[in-house]
Amino acid sequence: MSAIMEKIASIELELSRTQKNKATSTHIGSLNARLAKLRRELIEPTGKGGPKGEGFDVTKTGDCRVGLVGFPSVGKSTLLNKLTGTFSEVAAYEFTTLTCVPGVIRYRGAKIQLLDLPGIIEGAKDGKGRGRQVISTARTCGLIIVVLDALKPLTHKRLIEHELEGFGIRLNREPPKITFRKKDKGGIAFTPNNNGETTFLDEEIVKGILAEYKILHADVKLHEDSTDEELIDVIEGSRIYTPCIYAINKIDQITVEELSLLDKMKHYVPVSADKEWNLDGMLETIWDYLDLVRVYTKPKGVNPDYSDPVVLPRKGCTVEDFCNRLHKGIMKNFKCALVWGVSCKHRPQRVGKEHILEDEDVVQIVKKI
């Protein structure tokens, strides 16, 4: 472990000393690839005795999972207490929460599991404190809420982003539009971006990065102007792209002028957990970022059940997804579905399993006779 840490520190030092220009871009790309491989070894040691970066043993409940991440004593436990009614110990000293405390928010018919994770410290991605457990659990969340102290939000924001980045979590970013395919022969075939400029990568840089992974034959095609780090993310294949909200807590301790300066920050919500300020606004933002779809069931001859919707992510909300959420065996006898709602041209509309559902649609399943 210490040997890996020394190698990481050595490469980071070399990167900081290397000027970024066209002549050094191939060398920088190779160093970034080497750094990514070492960090992967740190998270998942290859030796028999090394423990992997496993998270806290918390049963996943509800329709989705949201994690509260931040430094000690920024108000994560108070937020959990106020939003869910679950008790998580609160005190004026650091590291009050030593394990993961789950709670459930019931909002707009959905059950949202909220996790109060222990405070992380600088160097968490390298194994300091309980950082690896905290960030491993954060990887399982559909949304991460980074809780920041209003007195020093930007400093903490940069540090936490750096720790999460080191663990393969990409906040508020889409996966790079790069096609990467290994092959048995033919060498490296690099296709630059046809939709515009290719300013960061060329064939020499790509070959240098792939050489670090001992890949001699592969197709690499860019569909946007991507960087060497984005190519490394695609090669590694273990990156998590997660939406994130920055909850600026303790706004009761700053002036209105200071609060107005924070408005320039993207993806942020100002709150005061202690005074219960803007908690409704925070719930609304959580709902928007989770991007969920509620679908109501309607048995034949009965009114729809609006009290207990089936909640699906918008990216996977076809009729087939809806049926599988109810029971895996429904699709065996599925004939069609009757749908009422904004996804239909007329109500009811007879649809197949590929039909995409919208929020608050009503669905009745028709089975084969």
Side-chain angles (χ1 to χ4, degrees):
M1 185 74 72
S2 60
I4 296 173
M5 293 291 297
E6 287 174 10
K7 289 178 183 177
I8 288 173
S10 175
I11 293 172
E12 287 178 338
L13 181 62
E14 188 174 350
L15 280 169
S16 66
R17 289 176 175 175
T18 306
Q19 290 185 342
K20 290 187 177 181
N21 54 52
K22 192 69 177 174
T24 61
S25 55
T26 302
H27 179 59
I28 290 172
S30 298
L31 288 175
N32 281 327
R34 217 173 298 166
L35 195 60
K37 286 170 64 182
L38 288 169
R39 283 182 174 153
R40 180 176 12 103
E41 285 182 36
L42 200 64
I43 297 167
E44 299 180 359
T46 53
K48 293 182 180 178
K52 289 191 177 183
E54 295 176 351
F56 295 98
D57 187 17
V58 180
T59 304
K60 197 168 186 177
T61 60
D63 300 306
C64 56
R65 175 180 272 191
V66 176
L68 296 172
V69 176
F71 284 108
S73 297
V74 292
K76 299 187 299 298
S77 298
T78 308
L79 269 174
L80 181 84
N81 295 347
K82 300 289 185 179
L83 291 172
T84 68
T86 302
F87 176 74
S88 181
E89 190 176 350
V90 178
Y93 53 85
E94 295 186 344
F95 300 107
T96 313
T97 305
L98 297 176
T99 186
C100 180
V101 181
V104 175
I105 305 170
R106 295 182 181 274
Y107 188 71
R108 296 190 181 183
K111 301 181 187 74
I112 303 169
Q113 185 182 43
L114 188 65
L115 302 181
D116 175 19
L117 296 165
I120 64 173
I121 59 175
E122 195 174 351
K125 69 181 188 305
D126 301 323
K128 292 184 180 178
R130 307 193 75 177
R132 277 202 273 170
Q133 281 180 294
V134 172
I135 302 176
S136 289
T137 305
R139 284 174 65 95
T140 68
C141 297
L143 172 69
I144 291 175
I145 301 176
V146 176
V147 186
L148 303 169
D149 192 324
L151 298 174
K152 41 193 171 183
L154 297 178
T155 307
H156 282 185
K157 177 177 179 286
R158 282 192 294 269
L159 290 171
I160 290 173
E161 283 177 342
H162 182 64
E163 298 301 323
L164 296 177
E165 283 271 329
F167 223 79
I169 298 175
R170 305 291 180 256
L171 302 177
N172 294 321
R173 281 162 54 183
E174 293 293 324
K177 294 177 181 177
I178 300 174
T179 301
F180 170 70
R181 184 176 64 86
K182 290 182 184 180
K183 55 187 183 181
D184 297 328
K185 56 184 179 179
I188 305 298
F190 172 66
T191 307
N193 178 28
N194 292 325
N195 303 320
E197 292 184 335
T198 304
T199 55
F200 302 106
L201 292 173
D202 58 30
E203 191 167 352
E204 187 181 352
I205 297 170
V206 170
K207 284 183 176 179
I209 291 170
L210 293 175
E212 289 294 331
Y213 289 92
K214 296 181 173 58
I215 298 173
L216 302 177
H217 309 285
D219 291 330
V220 178
K221 185 176 182 179
L222 305 185
H223 303 282
E224 62 182 3
D225 194 10
S226 303
T227 64
D228 56 345
E229 292 181 351
E230 288 175 327
L231 175 59
I232 291 165
D233 284 350
V234 172
I235 296 167
E236 286 283 336
S238 59
R239 304 305 189 231
I240 303 292
Y241 297 86
T242 308
C244 173
I245 297 169
Y246 299 96
I248 311 294
N249 192 25
K250 305 180 184 179
I251 57 171
D252 53 304
Q253 298 180 15
I254 61 174
T255 64
V256 176
E257 290 77 13
E258 288 171 321
L259 184 60
S260 64
L261 291 174
L262 295 174
D263 282 336
K264 297 176 183 177
M265 186 188 295
K266 294 180 180 178
H267 314 290
Y268 104 108
V269 181
V271 294
S272 173
D274 191 47
K275 304 286 185 182
E276 299 187 15
W277 292 354
N278 200 34
L279 295 185
D280 289 340
M282 184 176 177
L283 284 174
E284 185 74 30
T285 307
I286 289 171
W287 179 260
D288 290 341
Y289 274 66
L290 285 170
D291 202 18
L292 299 173
V293 171
R294 295 161 295 174
V295 182
Y296 302 105
T297 56
K298 184 190 181 305
K300 188 175 180 181
V302 182
N303 289 329
D305 182 9
Y306 292 109
S307 62
D308 189 20
V310 176
V311 181
L312 300 165
R314 192 175 293 277
K315 290 180 180 178
C317 56
T318 63
V319 170
E320 185 175 7
D321 295 320
F322 169 76
C323 292
N324 287 333
R325 180 62 67 90
L326 289 174
H327 193 278
K328 296 289 184 183
I330 290 178
M331 289 308 299
K332 292 179 181 178
N333 299 316
F334 177 84
K335 181 180 180 183
C336 65
L338 300 177
V339 179
W340 293 258
V342 294
S343 70
C344 302
K345 293 180 181 177
H346 47 270
R347 299 177 180 88
Q349 181 175 332
R350 189 183 293 265
V351 300
K353 64 180 182 178
E354 294 87 8
H355 179 78
I356 298 173
L357 300 167
E358 293 292 337
D359 192 33
E360 296 195 296
D361 275 1
V362 176
V363 178
Q364 179 181 319
I365 305 298
V366 179
K367 295 182 179 180
K368 297 175 184 175
I369 299 173

